[in-house]
Amino acid sequence: MNLQERIAQSETRIFKAVFPNTTNHYDTLFGGTAMQLMDEVAFITATRFCRKRVVTVSSDRIDFTQPIPAGTIIELIGQVVSVGKTSLKVQVDIYVEEMYSDTRLKAVNGSFTFVAIDEHKQPVQVLPESTEV
Ligand SMILES: CCCCCCCCCCCCCCCC(=O)SCCNC(=O)CCNC(=O)[C@H](O)C(C)(C)COP(=O)(O)OP(=O)(O)OC[C@H]1O[C@@H](n2cnc3c(N)ncnc32)[C@H](O)[C@@H]1OP(=O)(O)O
């Protein structure tokens, strides 16, 4: 598999229904819950990309551009956007969809950097040896 194929095959999508147990007093999704879901999809994306242990080393600015009301559906999309020697960056976007119409908007975006580590928690090369670059 080459690098572009590895990036494409590791793109990760998760859908969730936004129920009231995840919303605040404005009846919209908690920002912290959104960030937890983003960390999870980013972690899965990074793991599927390199098939190695990874830890979060940094998260970049997260922009909340649309509220996410209770009773909507969200889709989280994680995609590897850059690959270093031992680290990689994953962009995560959240889209909000109405349940009973085709309305769909990008609501949140941010990025997370992960480092691949070995069993002694030391950074290791993030690209599998078999990857053609
Ligand atoms: C209520 C219910 C709860 C349920 C809950 C469910 C939650 C569902 C979520 C699931 C999600 C799971 C996610 C698990 C993943 C963790 O949670 S991990 C826990 C948090 N993270 C950690 O503990 C990591 C702590 N940090 C470390 O151990 C060390 O800093 C590291 C990561 C091993 C790196 O060590 P280091 O000596 O700094 O390494 P160094 O050689 O200097 O740098 C290595 C690479 O990192 C890069 N780097 C270092 N620092 C930075 C930085 N600040 N920014 C960007 N790049 C950096 C370097 O540029 C280098 O990149 P390359 O040029 O090699 O590509």
Side-chain angles (χ1 to χ4, degrees), residues 8-81:
Q9 70 81 36
S10 61
E11 182 175 296
T12 299
R13 293 166 180 261
I14 295 177
F15 285 90
K16 296 270 184 192
V18 179
F19 291 126
N21 63 338
T22 59
T23 55
N24 54 36
H25 57 297
Y26 304 114
D27 218 17
T28 59
L29 184 69
F30 276 117
T33 303
M35 288 162 70
Q36 182 183 316
L37 292 169
M38 292 171 85
D39 190 30
E40 184 174 359
V41 77
F43 171 76
I44 294 170
T45 305
T47 302
R48 293 181 66 235
F49 175 86
C50 64
R51 299 294 176 185
K52 296 182 180 180
R53 295 180 183 86
V54 294
V55 289
T56 313
V57 73
S58 177
S59 84
D60 285 354
R61 160 182 169 154
I62 297 178
D63 292 315
F64 297 82
T65 53
Q66 295 287 335
I68 299 178
T72 56
I73 292 166
I74 55 173
E75 182 183 17
L76 296 105
I77 305 176
Q79 189 174 41
V80 174
V81 290

Side-chain angles (χ1 to χ4, degrees), residues 100-118:
Y100 307 115
S101 83
D102 294 326
T103 304
R104 176 181 163 97
L105 294 169
K106 189 193 275 194
V108 188
N109 65 85
S111 60
F112 298 78
T113 302
F114 294 87
V115 175
I117 54 167
D118 63 16

Side-chain angles (χ1 to χ4, degrees), residues 53 55 85-87 115-118 120-126:
R53 295 180 183 86
V55 289
K85 184 166 175 281
T86 66
S87 69
V115 175
I117 54 167
D118 63 16
H120 308 295
K121 302 189 170 129
Q122 294 307 306
V124 291
Q125 183 180 311
V126 74

